[in-house]
Amino acid sequence: DAGVIQSPRHEVTEMGQEVTLRCKPISGHNSLFWYRQTMMRGLELLIYFNNNVPIDDSGMPEDRFSAKMPNASFSTLKIQPSEPRDSAVYFCASSLDISYNEQFFGPGTRLTVL
Amino acid sequence: AQKITQTQPGMFVQEKEAVTLDCTYDTSDQSYGLFWYKQPSSGEMIFLIYQGSYDEQNATEGRYSLNFQKARKSANLVISASQLGDSAMYFCAMSVNNQGGKLIFGQGTELSVKP
């Protein structure tokens, strides 16, 4: 049974470029979460979806960040334009629902913005 | 506001000994969940154990147990019989009922197991 799949695993881009991170949740999971991990801020939730609908995007840092979930098996996190301070590891996680069930994390995408 | 505090940035333990990683939480909600995740140097986040606020028994999963003291708002992770492969970052996290599945993480504790 495949876990949460994220692509790319590593991304290096230049400031000002658009970056798109992709996530495929575990089949049958109804909730999807995007987290960002940095040394300074630790792990922080950016946005989460339930049944493909965004529930809470209060963690999205600014308008340069956007996330979509067009169907139950795919989500994207886009940064446009990217800035060096966006460099971080971005995790996608999924769970059966938005109760206390464990969240299964993907391997993460390490983003470096030069 | 909800908050998770892990006061030990780093810990050392001798192989085969037990170790306790501290976690305290702050919430005014009565219904919440507490989690521990392991992050090895490879970077993935691995779920270890979960405790619900209404669970009367401490959660256990193999060598992991969660020492839940509700009145003190603590949820310490106990790892018994430490192994070299236990060396990693450990994160305590909380989800609160009225915020859906949102997880709030602590800053983590880096555990090093010595042979």
Side-chain angles (χ1 to χ4, degrees):
Chain A
D1 185 21
V4 176
I5 299 172
Q6 290 186 249
S7 65
R9 294 293 308 277
H10 302 273
E11 177 81 23
V12 180
T13 190
E14 292 189 348
M15 182 174 63
Q17 296 299 306
E18 177 180 297
V19 174
T20 299
L21 311 181
R22 296 172 175 81
C23 175
K24 176 179 169 57
I26 293 173
S27 177
H29 281 193
N30 296 317
S31 300
L32 183 141
F33 306 81
W34 282 101
Y35 292 90
R36 178 172 69 175
Q37 186 178 31
T38 62
M39 288 295 293
M40 291 297 295
R41 300 176 65 91
L43 270 157
E44 50 183 348
L45 178 71
L46 300 178
I47 184 171
Y48 72 95
F49 298 82
N50 192 52
N51 293 323
N52 311 337
V53 176
I55 303 299
D56 183 350
D57 65 354
S58 60
M60 296 285 262
E62 46 196 277
D63 292 345
R64 298 184 297 106
F65 286 70
S66 63
K68 293 182 180 179
M69 192 164 185
N71 57 62
S73 60
F74 184 65
S75 178
T76 60
L77 177 68
K78 185 178 293 186
I79 309 172
Q80 166 63 22
S82 57
E83 296 182 3
R85 60 192 168 122
D86 301 331
S87 297
V89 179
Y90 291 81
F91 287 102
C92 175
S94 71
S95 68
L96 282 171
D97 58 44
I98 58 171
S99 63
Y100 313 131
N101 291 353
E102 64 181 278
Q103 294 182 16
F104 294 86
F105 280 71
T109 294
R110 182 174 295 277
L111 173 64
T112 302
V113 183
L114 303 174
Chain B
Q2 288 80 23
K3 187 178 179 182
I4 291 283
T5 302
Q6 294 180 254
T7 57
Q8 306 153 313
M11 289 277 288
F12 287 92
V13 65
Q14 202 70 35
E15 192 179 8
K16 299 181 185 177
E17 292 185 351
V19 63
T20 298
L21 306 184
D22 294 342
C23 172
T24 57
Y25 60 92
D26 188 19
T27 180
S28 56
D29 199 278
Q30 297 301 308
S31 182
Y32 50 88
L34 297 159
F35 303 77
W36 278 91
Y37 283 84
K38 172 184 178 181
Q39 187 176 40
S41 58
S42 51
E44 71 269 32
M45 294 287 288
I46 302 167
F47 167 78
L48 295 178
I49 196 166
Y50 161 79
Q51 178 89 38
S53 59
Y54 293 118
D55 294 340
E56 295 187 355
Q57 300 282 340
N58 285 344
T60 61
E61 290 286 348
R63 295 186 299 110
Y64 304 108
S65 60
L66 198 152
N67 185 0
F68 181 46
Q69 299 189 38
K70 196 169 183 176
R72 299 178 63 180
K73 292 189 174 180
S74 74
N76 298 340
L77 177 71
V78 180
I79 305 175
S80 63
S82 298
Q83 302 172 357
L84 296 179
D86 294 334
S87 294
M89 283 290 288
Y90 289 81
F91 291 94
C92 181
M94 174 173 64
S95 79
V96 178
N97 186 41
N98 63 2
Q99 294 190 25
K102 176 178 180 177
L103 281 180
I104 300 163
F105 285 87
Q107 287 299 102
T109 295
E110 184 170 8
L111 177 66
S112 298
V113 181
K114 299 189 289 186

